[in-house]
Amino acid sequence: MRDDMIQATSMLAMGELAVYPTDTVYGLGADAIAADAVERVYDLKGRSRDEPLSMAVPDVDAALEHVVATEREEEFMRAFLPGPVTVVLERQGHVPDVLTAGRDRVGIRIPDHDLALDLLEEFAPITATSANPSGEANVTDLDDLDESIREGVGAVVDGGVLPGGESTVVDPGSGEIHRRGEGADEVEAWLDEH
């Protein structure tokens, strides 16, 4: 395993933060089940505690350890993940309030990126939020990573220049698309057909 991946895995296990590549932009990861680690993500980004964070996992089976999914919701996940889609599902009780801003649902992300998936095989779930101060531009090239973020994390995994864009955020239970991003038309078509 690459040195930056080993570093990221050990930092995450210690409750520290790490920057990692996804199939859209660089993400800011922390142990999504450890409330204090999640708090550090909010602090580093300067993000409002009213805005929930998503969690990243390596596969759908891993997602089902943290959410309660209907047959339709699971079918949707298996159709679109991994990929640039955030699936909003009912969280299980061990998922901390701080991650979901007190809501009963949580966003699940499985990035279609080899390094992200390798990292998640080693340590999951982690927070899935962009690695930039709130309100600033998303980072697709580590040369553009804000110094405050770089200094606030224990590891940075270099995935080269990423394609950019945003994930489509969808609640397949209600059939609602909360944010149109990559693949939104395909998501909409699936929801209409199922």
Side-chain angles (χ1 to χ4, degrees):
M1 191 188 289
R2 292 170 28 158
D3 288 350
D4 56 357
M5 294 283 282
I6 293 168
Q7 173 94 3
T9 303
S10 64
M11 286 292 125
L12 290 166
M14 288 163 39
E16 298 298 325
L17 311 187
V19 171
Y20 65 98
T22 75
D23 44 8
T24 53
V25 300
Y26 278 94
L28 184 59
D31 183 343
I33 301 301
D36 55 344
V38 175
E39 292 276 5
R40 281 202 271 285
V41 173
Y42 279 101
D43 290 343
L44 187 57
K45 281 178 67 83
R47 184 181 175 98
S48 164
R49 296 294 198 283
D50 296 332
E51 297 177 31
L53 298 175
S54 297
M55 68 162 63
V57 292
D59 54 46
V60 172
D61 291 339
L64 295 174
E65 296 172 17
H66 306 289
V67 298
V68 179
T70 64
E71 203 171 304
R72 179 177 194 248
E73 289 167 338
E74 184 177 338
E75 189 183 343
F76 178 88
M77 281 199 288
R78 294 196 187 280
F80 285 95
L81 300 177
V85 178
T86 301
V87 185
V88 180
L89 301 157
E90 182 184 342
R91 65 173 172 145
Q92 290 188 23
H94 65 270
V95 175
D97 282 347
V98 63
L99 185 76
T100 65
R103 296 169 173 82
D104 62 359
R105 296 176 89 68
V106 65
I108 295 291
R109 185 91 161 78
I110 305 176
D112 191 8
H113 189 289
D114 289 347
L115 287 174
L117 293 171
D118 288 349
L119 179 63
L120 290 162
E121 286 293 343
E122 297 296 322
F123 192 96
I126 62 176
T127 55
T129 183
S130 53
N132 53 282
S134 277
E136 301 289 317
N138 290 337
V139 177
T140 56
D141 183 333
L142 286 176
D143 289 345
D144 301 327
L145 188 64
D146 190 276
E147 271 312 304
S148 67
I149 302 284
R150 193 179 291 276
E151 288 168 10
V153 301
V156 176
V157 177
D158 188 347
V161 178
L162 303 176
E166 290 186 313
S167 65
T168 290
V169 181
V170 59
D171 184 333
S174 67
E176 187 179 354
I177 296 177
H178 294 294
R179 179 178 77 192
R180 293 186 73 86
E182 303 297 309
D185 292 345
E186 292 85 7
V187 167
E188 198 163 47
W190 191 97
L191 293 172
D192 288 344
E193 289 166 14
H194 293 78

